[in-house]
Amino acid sequence: MEVTITIAEMKALRREIPGSVGFVPTMGYLHQGHLALVKQARADNSTVVASIFVNPTQFGPGEDFDTYPRDTERDLALLEKENADIVFIPSNEEMYPEGFSSLVEVEKVTERLEGSHRPGHFRGVTTVVAKLFNIVEPTRSYFGQKDAQQATVIKKMVTDLNMNLEITVVPTVRESDGLAMSSRNIYLNPEERQAATVLFKALSLARQLQERGKIDAEYLRQKMTSLIGKEPLAKIDYVSIADAQTLEELTEIDRPALASLAVRIGKTRLIDNMVLE
Ligand code: PAF
């Protein structure tokens, strides 16, 4: 496995790769969710590239950029075990040199849900992902369903800007009690970790109700809200039943829908979602 920290070297390595390239962009502190992306990339492509870069431009003021967990040595060991071929680990200065002044912005679908609670977040994500795509030139790139809105936004960017790659979305990997794997789970103390199962419980309730024929979206939002309300450590940012494509809130579930939510457990903000077919 090759490890590179400069854009010039990454591009030089890329020029030598003959077949398909599967690319997994990450912010490190890898868990089974990331490794599922690497496994899928490994299965679909002859070469697998992963990146590790905690991207400052997607964190808002007061968010956890400084404390975001980092453990590059452990990440490299995990990637080696999954047979990744190249790992790109640029510095902030390499990605955003003095005078950097270009941004990539997807409109509309970024205005809801995470976008309305984290202004500028998706502009940071699309800018860094567009840069990484230009550097790595992947055939395919892999994103987790857990960040469903991020995957939707990136697909839109790729379509709108005619980028020459495929986006694959890989199912969420969960702990045995349903908690979606996330690098931020490390922030939870044991009591909070227990409380965090309320996200999966609320989404499972939405799915059960919908499977039993409840199509009133507001009814589902209320039931989810009241279940989360019973957990004293949980504070809701949003609970949504939205069109799975546009992410616009639904009145009736008359098309594929996405149940999603953001909940603060103590100081940790967690997100999760489930598709309602
Ligand atoms: O999902 C993430 O870890 C990040 O948003 C990404 C896609 C690596 C961009 O920084």
Side-chain angles (χ1 to χ4, degrees), residues 25-27 34 53 55 58 68 121 125 128-129 132 143 147 150 154:
T26 81
M27 297 206 300
H34 295 111
F53 179 60
N55 173 36
Q58 68 189 77
Y68 195 84
H121 167 68
V125 170
V128 81
V129 170
L132 290 166
F143 294 85
D147 296 302
Q150 169 172 280
I154 287 166

Side-chain angles (χ1 to χ4, degrees), residues 133-179:
F133 286 171
N134 283 336
I135 296 163
V136 176
E137 295 182 58
T139 318
R140 304 181 184 89
S141 188
Y142 296 81
F143 294 85
Q145 169 66 23
K146 183 185 153 269
D147 296 302
Q149 188 176 14
Q150 169 172 280
T152 302
V153 169
I154 287 166
K155 279 191 199 158
K156 189 82 180 99
M157 171 183 81
V158 165
T159 304
D160 286 355
L161 300 183
N162 310 101
M163 292 178 167
N164 203 13
L165 77 157
E166 274 173 39
I167 300 298
T168 298
V169 181
V170 175
T172 304
V173 180
R174 298 182 180 281
E175 303 282 359
S176 56
D177 60 4
L179 179 67

Side-chain angles (χ1 to χ4, degrees), residues 115-251:
S116 67
H117 285 78
R118 303 183 68 190
H121 167 68
F122 284 119
R123 193 176 49 223
V125 170
T126 44
T127 300
V128 81
V129 170
K131 279 174 69 70
L132 290 166
F133 286 171
N134 283 336
I135 296 163
V136 176
E137 295 182 58
T139 318
R140 304 181 184 89
S141 188
Y142 296 81
F143 294 85
Q145 169 66 23
K146 183 185 153 269
D147 296 302
Q149 188 176 14
Q150 169 172 280
T152 302
V153 169
I154 287 166
K155 279 191 199 158
K156 189 82 180 99
M157 171 183 81
V158 165
T159 304
D160 286 355
L161 300 183
N162 310 101
M163 292 178 167
N164 203 13
L165 77 157
E166 274 173 39
I167 300 298
T168 298
V169 181
V170 175
T172 304
V173 180
R174 298 182 180 281
E175 303 282 359
S176 56
D177 60 4
L179 179 67
M181 297 223 178
S182 162
S183 305
R184 290 188 169 102
N185 292 351
I186 190 80
Y187 298 146
L188 301 168
N189 67 32
E191 206 189 339
E192 291 170 341
R193 170 64 188 79
Q194 181 54 38
T197 56
V198 78
L199 280 86
F200 180 67
K201 287 180 189 147
L203 292 167
S204 303
L205 174 65
R207 183 174 272 177
Q208 275 168 26
L209 291 170
Q210 184 256 347
E211 281 173 356
R212 278 193 233 136
K214 302 281 183 202
I215 57 159
D216 179 347
E218 187 50 30
Y219 178 75
L220 264 62
R221 285 188 283 266
Q222 276 172 16
K223 285 288 184 190
M224 293 168 77
T225 303
S226 105
L227 188 148
I228 299 165
K230 292 192 184 115
E231 172 47 68
L233 295 180
K235 195 168 162 285
I236 294 174
D237 256 12
Y238 63 81
V239 164
S240 159
I241 305 288
D243 179 304
Q245 297 292 315
T246 64
L247 303 183
E248 279 174 51
E249 290 302 317
L250 289 175
T251 310

Side-chain angles (χ1 to χ4, degrees), residues 20-25 31-50 79 81-85 139-145 166-173:
S20 63
V21 172
F23 175 47
V24 181
H31 50 69
Q32 289 303 320
H34 295 111
L35 301 182
L37 307 181
V38 178
K39 283 187 177 85
Q40 190 62 53
R42 184 72 282 166
D44 297 346
N45 303 278
S46 49
T47 298
V48 173
V49 179
L79 289 168
K81 224 167 138 205
E82 295 301 334
N83 292 320
D85 298 294
T139 318
R140 304 181 184 89
S141 188
Y142 296 81
F143 294 85
Q145 169 66 23
E166 274 173 39
I167 300 298
T168 298
V169 181
V170 175
T172 304
V173 180

